[in-house]
Amino acid sequence: DIQMTQSPSSVSASVGDRVTITCRASQGISNWLAWYQQKPGKAPKALIFGTFNLQSGVPSRFSGSGSGTDFTLTISSLQPEDFATYYCQQANSFPRTFGGGTKVEIK
Amino acid sequence: QVHLQESGPGLVKPSGTLSLTCAVSGGSITTSNWWTWVRQSPGKGLEWIGEIFHTGNINYNPSLKSRVTISADKAMNQFSLKLNSVTAADTAVYYCARTPLVGGLIDYWGQGTLVTVSS
């Protein structure tokens, strides 16, 4: 299985801050990388697919980059509704695997 | 707008079988999508269980493959999950979801249902 490692596991930030979350795959996955946002008690919400493609309706302050094994999710200006846990997921091979999550908390 | 809704018992005894159904509305399961199950243990991360295409093609997580069966009912527009020989480690919120044929992004999710394994 491809292991997905996210860092940091949590980050404290203020509204307006730029936040970057890193996801590393244990082997190359080309651009087959997705990002999700999950709020407490809710299902994950799709944010980005194919490393950098925003899902319909996702604000442009979210962006993704990377290739191969190293990927990032950036929130350019953190908004109150962005406080949540973020997960990466590889779609290169089976089984699909997720990162351990990064919790974005209010500073 | 596709909507997915899980249903099934919230409590299963150890060594028993967990059975869940996902009703799909707003679209047919015979479209170009994989119909997916994901679970999340309390306070933990996400685990992909498997997926089914309406043609009958199925992909399972090898870690669960010996205990899992995913099936689809085109007439009822729903798909199902069975997990046998459950233990407390199978206690989790189970989500059904949709994965388009291309891209691998899980784009629609059900609200999730908590299944507790306990005697």
Side-chain angles (χ1 to χ4, degrees):
Chain A
D1 298 5
I2 297 177
Q3 306 303 315
M4 305 300 291
T5 304
Q6 284 182 238
S7 61
S9 56
S10 66
V11 57
S12 294
S14 300
V15 172
D17 284 354
R18 182 182 183 90
V19 173
T20 299
I21 298 168
T22 297
C23 179
R24 175 164 288 176
S26 60
Q27 63 190 75
I29 59 171
S30 186
N31 284 323
W32 295 102
L33 194 283
W35 290 96
Y36 303 88
Q37 175 193 69
Q38 187 179 34
K39 296 182 178 179
K42 300 292 188 182
K45 172 188 173 184
L47 293 178
I48 288 173
F49 64 98
T51 297
F52 48 79
N53 300 290
L54 256 59
Q55 181 68 347
S56 176
V58 174
S60 59
R61 63 181 179 273
F62 290 92
S63 64
S65 64
S67 183
T69 59
D70 294 310
F71 302 86
T72 59
L73 171 70
T74 299
I75 310 171
S76 61
S77 178
L78 199 65
Q79 298 302 299
E81 60 268 31
D82 301 336
F83 291 97
T85 300
Y86 293 84
Y87 294 93
C88 62
Q89 175 231 323
Q90 64 81 16
N92 181 76
S93 63
F94 294 104
R96 308 305 195 203
T97 47
F98 294 86
T102 296
K103 187 173 184 179
V104 178
E105 300 174 298
I106 301 172
K107 193 170 186 178
Chain B
Q1 180 85 346
V2 174
H3 181 73
L4 300 100
Q5 180 68 58
E6 306 89 351
S7 61
L11 181 65
V12 181
K13 293 187 186 308
S15 77
T17 297
L18 179 158
S19 295
L20 296 173
T21 296
C22 181
V24 179
S25 57
S28 171
I29 67 167
T30 61
T31 51
S32 296
N33 297 286
W34 291 90
W35 301 96
T36 305
W37 290 97
V38 175
R39 70 180 183 179
Q40 186 170 32
S41 300
K44 300 290 181 62
L46 298 158
E47 180 178 26
W48 184 86
I49 298 171
E51 61 186 10
I52 187 167
F53 200 73
H54 66 86
T55 54
N57 292 62
I58 301 174
N59 296 304
Y60 290 127
N61 191 324
S63 69
L64 298 168
K65 188 174 183 177
S66 63
R67 299 193 291 132
V68 170
T69 302
I70 296 175
S71 60
D73 184 335
K74 286 181 272 190
M76 296 292 290
N77 211 44
Q78 63 188 29
F79 61 107
S80 299
L81 170 71
K82 290 188 187 299
L83 180 66
N84 58 37
S85 304
V86 297
T87 70
D90 295 310
T91 293
V93 174
Y94 286 77
Y95 294 101
C96 63
R98 186 186 86 165
T99 307
L101 187 60
V102 177
L105 175 78
I106 304 172
D107 62 353
Y108 285 97
W109 298 69
Q111 67 183 20
T113 188
L114 175 63
V115 179
T116 301
V117 178
S118 175
S119 55

